[in-house]
Amino acid sequence: MSLNLEQYVSEFSAQNINGEHLLLLDGSKLKALGMTSSQDRAIIKRKLKEMKASLEKARKAQEKMEKQREKLRKKEQEQLQRRSKKTDKCSSDATEGTNEQ
């Protein structure tokens, strides 16, 4: 509707075309849905291309965030392990010192 293509809404609805399905449509499928105007198909295809690019950009940003979170988790685990080893070493050294006395 934002593209001024309201005339196709009823057919898209009748065919249960939702956002996910819409992204899978190509020119021939749009034509089969009754979109006879090549200009209208071009508008839809251009908008779908923009949407796919936007989705891909968002997916990559999400992956980047997840990698950063994983990197932070690993770093925190390594720090905890180092602290644990230090604590174990200190308590071991303290025990040895007590035994020597």
Side-chain angles (χ1 to χ4, degrees), residues 59-75:
R59 184 189 64 77
K60 285 182 179 182
Q62 180 68 28
E63 284 179 1
K64 185 177 180 180
M65 289 286 288
E66 288 173 10
K67 284 180 182 179
Q68 288 174 340
R69 284 187 191 126
E70 184 61 30
K71 190 175 180 179
L72 280 173
R73 270 186 244 138
K74 284 181 180 180
K75 190 174 182 178

Side-chain angles (χ1 to χ4, degrees), residues 15-76:
Q15 296 294 325
N16 294 319
I17 303 297
N18 60 21
E20 194 173 323
H21 291 120
L22 189 62
L23 291 172
L24 301 173
L25 298 178
D26 60 12
S28 62
K29 291 177 183 173
L30 289 169
K31 199 171 190 178
L33 284 168
M35 195 172 276
T36 55
S37 167
S38 61
Q39 289 178 329
D40 291 351
R41 286 193 308 272
I43 290 169
I44 292 284
K45 289 191 293 186
R46 186 174 338 119
K47 190 64 175 179
L48 289 174
K49 186 177 180 178
E50 289 171 13
M51 289 170 64
K52 288 175 184 177
S54 179
L55 284 171
E56 182 64 18
K57 187 176 179 181
R59 184 189 64 77
K60 285 182 179 182
Q62 180 68 28
E63 284 179 1
K64 185 177 180 180
M65 289 286 288
E66 288 173 10
K67 284 180 182 179
Q68 288 174 340
R69 284 187 191 126
E70 184 61 30
K71 190 175 180 179
L72 280 173
R73 270 186 244 138
K74 284 181 180 180
K75 190 174 182 178
E76 288 172 354

